[in-house]
Amino acid sequence: MTSKLTIKQDAFVKAYLLNGGNATQAAIKAGYSEKTAQAIGAENLTKPVIQNAIKAHQQEQHSQFIWEKAKKLEALQSIINMAMTENKDKGMLNATAAIKAHNEMQGDNAPIETNNTIKVSSSLAERLTAGSKR
């Protein structure tokens, strides 16, 4: 048995992943007969070469998701670093607006749990409260 997928098996794997794990529909989309699609789909899922291809595609998608998430977090860190600096012309930049913009950028990947606590150094806190007492 070869470790390479046939053209139909490769089409089956891709259709299986795109159809949310429906083996019958994946078999039909891969070009197998509708009459035998259910049996072929079930049989294909027992083949190690197909199981390995499905796992490899899933791991690749997971790695891609993690990489994209990491890039978004790097962008957020950059936005926060910029927003938390003082600009002599504009004053304190708006961290809340920057975080909101980043969260909107994430779309479906928005954080499930949020924490609105921001630690501020005492000298910065003193500068912010001193401005309101004037």
Side-chain angles (χ1 to χ4, degrees):
M1 183 175 195
T2 177
S3 64
K4 294 270 184 184
L5 294 172
T6 67
I7 293 171
K8 271 191 174 180
Q9 287 173 335
D10 185 56
F12 172 82
V13 168
K14 290 173 182 169
Y16 180 79
L17 293 166
L18 290 172
N19 283 293
N22 185 323
T24 302
Q25 287 302 310
I28 293 168
K29 290 187 187 265
Y32 294 96
S33 162
E34 285 189 36
K35 290 181 179 180
T36 61
Q38 186 175 5
I40 293 291
E43 180 185 329
N44 276 349
L45 291 178
T46 66
K47 295 178 180 179
V49 68
I50 290 178
Q51 291 173 348
N52 291 338
I54 289 170
K55 286 178 189 170
H57 278 286
Q58 289 170 331
Q59 288 173 344
E60 185 178 330
Q61 289 301 313
H62 181 70
S63 295
Q64 177 98 14
F65 172 78
I66 296 298
W67 182 84
E68 288 174 5
K69 202 67 161 159
K71 288 294 178 191
K72 288 177 182 179
L73 289 173
E74 286 176 21
L76 175 60
Q77 185 62 53
S78 176
I79 290 167
I80 290 173
N81 289 345
M82 178 60 123
M84 295 305 292
T85 61
E86 268 194 60
N87 182 310
K88 66 181 181 179
D89 298 327
K90 298 179 185 175
M92 177 60 82
L93 300 176
N94 190 338
T96 304
I99 292 169
K100 181 180 179 193
H102 177 76
N103 287 343
E104 288 175 9
M105 175 180 76
Q106 287 192 22
D108 292 338
N109 299 324
I112 294 169
E113 182 179 323
T114 59
N115 181 351
N116 293 332
T117 304
I118 298 176
K119 293 183 180 178
V120 180
S121 68
S122 60
S123 61
L124 178 58
E126 289 169 3
R127 285 186 276 163
L128 290 174
T129 55
S132 65
K133 291 179 183 176
R134 291 181 194 167

